[in-house]
Amino acid sequence: MPGYGHGSREEWGSEIVKYLVGRKELRRAFLLVDPLHGLKQSDETILALFRHNSIPHQVVLSKVDRILLPSSKSRSISEEKLAKHAIELQHIVEKIRTQIQPKNDGPPALGEILTCSADNERWKVLSSEPKGRLGISALRWAVLAATGLHQKTSDVEVQESLSVLEEST
């Protein structure tokens, strides 16, 4: 988000914070974290802001394909190597889970930590999702659930909403 992270401007950050704190209709904020770098100081600061102001939030680990399939040149991977990388990702998720759920410091993050991939070509090797996008359907569902639409619509309407979200990406 603007005002947060690399290449941001300080004044953008203060405007975003005002929006997040003052927006009562806000159902959930999603914080993207690069699992290769873990939680940075700026991530910890925004998580503390979320908790202090009781802002519902969920963490998304992006670019997990870089852990599961570290070599983008490889068109295949053995089950043994994939299992090893999956365990590595599981350890990263558990470490981040303990960092985002501190004791007695406001409401914790909501739901499970979501994961998604960055590189479509790299992940197409293993993905059954359309366009090789690992975790994007789960992320779309989390956004839809955060709006409350999943409770008020039929299965057909949910599928149509997901299709619209997919077309926009």
Side-chain angles (χ1 to χ4, degrees):
M1 92 176 140
Y4 169 72
H6 179 72
S8 64
R9 295 185 186 166
E10 190 172 326
E11 63 269 17
W12 291 350
S14 61
E15 290 301 313
I16 293 295
V17 169
K18 281 191 246 179
Y19 173 81
L20 290 171
V21 171
R23 187 74 178 180
K24 300 301 177 205
E25 298 85 2
L26 184 67
R27 302 254 185 145
R28 186 177 306 176
F30 291 87
L31 177 66
L32 299 177
V33 174
D34 185 333
L36 291 174
H37 302 291
L39 285 179
K40 297 180 182 177
Q41 180 60 45
S42 54
D43 297 322
E44 292 175 7
T45 300
I46 197 82
L47 284 166
L49 173 104
F50 289 159
R51 287 190 299 271
H52 178 75
N53 293 286
S54 299
I55 297 170
H57 58 283
Q58 190 164 6
V59 173
V60 179
L61 295 183
S62 60
K63 306 175 189 173
V64 297
D65 53 294
R66 293 182 182 175
I67 294 169
L68 294 172
L69 299 170
S71 174
S72 62
K73 296 177 180 131
S74 176
R75 291 321 240 164
S76 65
I77 185 169
S78 71
E79 285 186 32
E80 183 178 300
K81 281 187 178 181
L82 182 60
K84 177 183 160 209
H85 296 309
I87 290 169
E88 180 183 351
L89 178 59
Q90 187 176 21
H91 289 303
I92 291 168
V93 169
E94 290 307 316
K95 179 181 178 187
I96 290 175
R97 184 184 322 279
T98 62
Q99 293 173 306
I100 66 170
Q101 307 286 20
K103 300 197 181 346
N104 303 322
D105 189 25
L110 298 170
E112 289 298 313
I113 295 174
L114 299 172
T115 59
C116 61
S117 66
D119 186 339
N120 293 343
E121 292 305 315
R122 184 184 309 206
W123 191 249
K124 280 183 184 175
V125 172
L126 298 172
S127 179
S128 62
E129 289 201 38
K131 302 180 185 175
R133 295 178 176 159
L134 170 69
I136 298 300
S137 293
L139 181 55
R140 287 183 179 129
W141 179 254
V143 171
L144 188 62
T147 65
L149 291 176
H150 73 294
Q151 297 170 347
K152 300 175 185 172
T153 58
S154 69
D155 289 342
V156 172
E157 291 169 315
V158 168
Q159 286 301 327
E160 289 172 358
S161 297
L162 287 172
S163 295
V164 168
L165 283 171
E166 183 175 304
E167 290 170 11
S168 65
T169 58

